[in-house]
Amino acid sequence: MPLTREERAIQNGLMIAHGGSYPWSCDPQDVWAELDTAHHFKWFYGDVQVRGYYPAWKVLELKREGIKLAKEPGDDELLREGTVDFYSFSYYSTDVCAAHPEEHGATDGNMHRSIANPHLKQTEWGWTIDPLGLRISLNQIWDRYQIPVMIVENGFGAIDVREEDGSVHDQGRIDYMRTHIKVMKDTVEIDGVDLMGYTPWGWIDVVSAGTGEMRKRYGFVYVDMDDDGNGDLSRSRKDSFYYMQKVYKSNGEDLG
C-alpha cells in the first residue's frame, strides 16, 4: 500500500502558472469560452498531478485528434500513486475570455493577449492588477483539490528609476504587495483555505523570463544593468525592500 500524504516524510508539489480568468459577460457563450480556456490552460496539469488521472474531456479530445497515449502495464497505477502533496503556483494577473474576442479590445501581456478588463488597472506591460482575483483563485484551487496551497511566485513588473542618491521609489510595487498579502490573510482567516506558504517574485532584479528584458524589474533590490548590458551590477535597496522587511519582521501583521 502506498503511504498516505500524512505519512510521507518528504512532501512534493508542482508548479503551475495559474492565471485567474473571467467571462466577458453573463452570455452563456462567454461563460463557456472561459470554462473551456480554463480547462486547457488552468486546470489540466493540476488535475493530472493532484488527482492522478487524465480528465475525461482530455481523453476524448486526444481521441478526436487521433492521438493514443502509449502506456506500459502499471502506468495508470503509478500515476494514481504519484500525486502531489500540495498545489504550488504562480499568480500575477487575470484574463478575460469571450466567445468572440475579436469584438473587444485586447491588452498585450508577456505570454498571450487577453481582452482588456475595464474594471482593473494594468501594469506597463498590460498585466491586470487584481488582488481579489488571487482570493478567487485560492478559493477555486482549495475547493477543487482540498490539499495545501503555496504561492511560489507573485510580484509587480515595472520600470524603476534609481535616483542620484541611490534610492528607488517604487510605490506601485509596495501597493501591489500590500493588497495581495492582505488578500492572503483574508483567504486564510475568513475563507479557511490552507495556504501553507508564500514566496514573492522576486527579491532582486533579474532578466525578465517573459520578455528577456532587464528593464522589466520585479525585485526589491535594484541592479545597475540595462537591456544592452550597460551597468556595473551595483545594487540599491528600493523602497519596497524596506516595506517587505517590515512585513516579514511583523509576520505579516504590519501591512501599513
Side-chain angles (χ1 to χ4, degrees):
M1 291 289 292
L3 296 176
T4 66
R5 183 173 293 112
E6 291 73 20
E7 292 171 332
R8 297 173 188 167
I10 298 175
Q11 303 283 296
N12 69 89
L14 68 167
M15 165 55 191
I16 299 292
H18 184 98
S21 56
Y22 308 117
W24 171 254
S25 74
C26 55
D27 182 339
Q29 294 295 325
D30 288 342
V31 175
W32 176 253
E34 189 279 329
L35 177 62
D36 191 45
T37 299
H39 267 157
H40 287 82
F41 296 105
K42 184 163 62 175
W43 298 123
F44 170 60
Y45 301 101
D47 283 355
V48 175
Q49 295 182 67
V50 176
R51 293 172 170 171
Y53 57 87
Y54 281 76
W57 67 266
K58 174 57 74 172
V59 174
L60 292 172
E61 178 184 88
L62 294 174
K63 184 178 180 180
R64 289 193 300 271
E65 294 178 357
I67 299 172
K68 183 177 181 180
L69 296 178
K71 295 183 181 179
E72 300 293 335
D75 280 356
D76 288 337
E77 290 75 17
L78 286 173
L79 187 59
R80 284 195 297 270
E81 295 173 4
T83 55
V84 296
D85 300 297
F86 58 92
Y87 186 102
S88 46
F89 69 104
S90 64
Y91 177 90
Y92 294 94
S93 63
T94 53
D95 296 328
V96 176
C97 304
H100 303 288
E102 69 280 357
E103 298 177 0
H104 310 285
T107 176
D108 288 321
N110 278 0
M111 305 299 180
H112 52 81
R113 288 170 61 84
S114 168
I115 296 171
N117 190 327
H119 304 287
L120 298 173
K121 294 180 179 179
Q122 300 177 11
T123 70
E124 293 160 299
W125 274 264
W127 289 30
T128 56
I129 301 173
D130 187 5
L132 183 56
L134 176 57
R135 185 174 183 178
I136 293 169
S137 293
L138 284 166
N139 275 274
Q140 288 176 336
I141 294 167
W142 173 248
D143 290 345
R144 191 179 187 93
Y145 299 128
Q146 290 289 297
I147 61 174
V149 180
M150 181 176 180
I151 302 167
V152 294
E153 286 185 32
N154 170 245
F156 181 81
I159 296 174
D160 295 329
V161 177
R162 185 167 66 169
E163 307 293 344
E164 290 185 4
D165 62 0
S167 62
V168 179
H169 305 304
D170 56 339
Q171 186 62 43
R173 183 169 293 108
I174 292 173
D175 294 339
Y176 181 98
M177 303 309 296
R178 177 190 296 112
T179 54
H180 284 71
I181 295 172
K182 174 62 167 61
V183 157
M184 294 175 212
K185 288 171 63 67
D186 292 342
T187 303
V188 172
E189 297 172 359
I190 298 174
D191 305 334
V193 173
D194 185 1
L195 178 58
M196 62 180 287
Y198 168 69
T199 54
W201 185 275
W203 186 251
I204 191 170
D205 288 342
V206 296
V207 174
S208 170
T211 66
E213 298 172 294
M214 193 69 198
R215 71 190 185 107
K216 187 182 185 186
R217 299 174 182 270
Y218 282 88
F220 309 132
V221 175
Y222 184 95
V223 177
D224 182 35
M225 182 62 63
D226 65 19
D227 290 345
D228 298 318
N230 302 311
D232 61 8
L233 295 176
S234 60
R235 298 163 189 192
S236 303
R237 298 173 182 179
K238 305 178 187 179
D239 289 353
S240 60
F241 174 95
Y242 300 102
Y243 175 75
M244 292 301 294
Q245 183 182 61
K246 177 181 66 173
V247 172
Y248 291 141
K249 285 183 175 181
S250 68
N251 197 28
E253 293 302 318
D254 186 356
L255 297 177

